[in-house]
Amino acid sequence: MNLETIYHHVISGEMDETAESVSAALSQGVSPNDILNKALIAAMDEVGRRYEEGDFFVPEMLIAARAMQSGLQVLKPHLVQGGVQSAGKIAIGTVKGDLHDIGKNLVAMMLEGAGFEVVDLGTDVDPQKFVQSAKEGAQVIGLSALLTTTMSNMELTIDALKQAGLRGQVKVIVGGAPVTAEFARQIGADGFAPDASTAARVVRQLLD
Ligand code: B1M
């Protein structure tokens, strides 16, 4: 089973075939990181490219995303290290107005694997929900955004934490395809990560 097969199953939105081909690749000794980056994520990039060019529409993006998620479920135990005691509590969610959750789920998975207690608030999360999580003991708030139009809701969430008087006691990390380190600085976030494994490292640094 090669990476190209997995890649094509994701693009075609074939859920069962994606899960089966990931499983087969793992049993043949293909590295989980290669499956993630060179097949699953690469396929989503291609789906995005086809969407931009008008070859794909929202339904195709959606079924490809479902296939990707089914592959990720098989991959999950191989990506996370496990066995580490809770290193801190983080509440993570995709910001208000944004329904993309694959990247956020991957970050949550890596954080769990790195030993953090993760509260997943889901997608389209109102700033006040993040505030509530901080009140309930989250030491880090993780914000994900995939749309340029929802990036501004990261700043609104940071403002809501300030207004609630909580900014001094929580750290904020942001990420997602359109987010940059420069943008993170501008909106007053404490950390930025371009990918899921860096996110786990950055959160650890923030809590040190
Ligand atoms: Co949408 N979509 N989508 N979409 N979609 C994008 C993002 C887009 C770039 C496609 C394109 O035009 N090329 C484009 C945004 C353009 C822009 O804003 N500039 C777009 C659009 C326009 C839209 C709609 C508006 C389409 C419409 O309805 N007309 C609509 C918006 C809905 C909404 O949110 N309100 C929409 C809808 C959807 C679906 C629902 C169909 C589906 C999402 C399904 C789901 O998530 N369950 C979808 C998909 C699948 C995509 C693409 C194809 C793939 C996204 C993805 O999962 N990537 C995407 C194109 C692309 O990104 N190439 C696209 C794989 C994932 C692992 O990567 O999420 O970047 P990513 O996460 C990475 C890093 O960014 C980082 O780590 C992850 C792992 O390495 N990271 C963090 C993410 N969050 C982090 C948080 C951190 C740290 C790191 O700290 C807390």
Side-chain angles (χ1 to χ4, degrees), residues 41 44-45 47-49 51-52 58 61-62 65 68-69 92 97-104 106-107 142-144 146-149 173-177 193-196 199:
I41 291 182
M44 293 315 287
D45 284 345
V47 169
R49 197 189 63 73
Y51 173 79
E52 260 173 59
V58 172
M61 276 209 284
L62 201 51
M68 158 113 188
Q69 302 265 28
I92 188 168
D98 200 322
L99 301 174
H100 296 85
D101 68 356
I102 297 176
K104 182 266 298 168
L106 205 47
V107 172
L143 306 174
S144 179
L146 262 286
L147 298 172
T148 44
T149 48
I173 173 174
V174 295
D195 57 52

Side-chain angles (χ1 to χ4, degrees), residues 36 65 68-69 72-73 76 79-80 92-94 99-113 118 120-123 144 146 196:
L36 178 65
M68 158 113 188
Q69 302 265 28
L72 269 184
Q73 280 315 309
K76 183 175 176 178
L79 287 175
V80 301
I92 188 168
T94 308
L99 301 174
H100 296 85
D101 68 356
I102 297 176
K104 182 266 298 168
N105 293 346
L106 205 47
V107 172
M109 213 182 262
M110 290 298 194
L111 288 168
E112 266 174 23
V118 178
D120 188 344
L121 299 174
T123 58
S144 179
L146 262 286

Side-chain angles (χ1 to χ4, degrees), residues 17-167:
E17 290 81 354
T18 301
E20 282 157 19
S21 54
V22 169
S23 209
L26 284 169
S27 59
Q28 285 163 17
V30 180
S31 122
N33 277 327
D34 280 353
I35 297 174
L36 178 65
N37 294 311
K38 296 184 183 165
L40 298 176
I41 291 182
M44 293 315 287
D45 284 345
E46 175 60 14
V47 169
R49 197 189 63 73
R50 291 189 192 186
Y51 173 79
E52 260 173 59
E53 293 190 350
D55 294 334
F56 269 17
F57 298 93
V58 172
E60 282 95 346
M61 276 209 284
L62 201 51
I63 58 165
R66 285 190 192 143
M68 158 113 188
Q69 302 265 28
S70 74
L72 269 184
Q73 280 315 309
V74 178
L75 208 53
K76 183 175 176 178
H78 301 268
L79 287 175
V80 301
Q81 301 145 16
V84 192
Q85 284 311 298
S86 177
K89 185 172 175 181
I90 170 161
I92 188 168
T94 308
V95 293
K96 183 91 192 139
D98 200 322
L99 301 174
H100 296 85
D101 68 356
I102 297 176
K104 182 266 298 168
N105 293 346
L106 205 47
V107 172
M109 213 182 262
M110 290 298 194
L111 288 168
E112 266 174 23
F116 294 97
E117 182 188 345
V118 178
V119 179
D120 188 344
L121 299 174
T123 58
D124 188 21
V125 181
D126 191 273
Q128 289 307 322
K129 262 184 123 176
F130 288 108
V131 168
Q132 189 56 34
S133 296
K135 285 183 181 159
E136 288 166 2
Q139 298 149 283
V140 179
I141 299 291
L143 306 174
S144 179
L146 262 286
L147 298 172
T148 44
T149 48
T150 57
M151 286 165 74
S152 54
N153 291 333
M154 292 181 149
E155 189 168 14
L156 291 182
T157 305
I158 293 176
D159 287 346
L161 289 166
K162 276 185 202 150
Q163 277 161 24
L166 294 163
R167 190 63 186 97

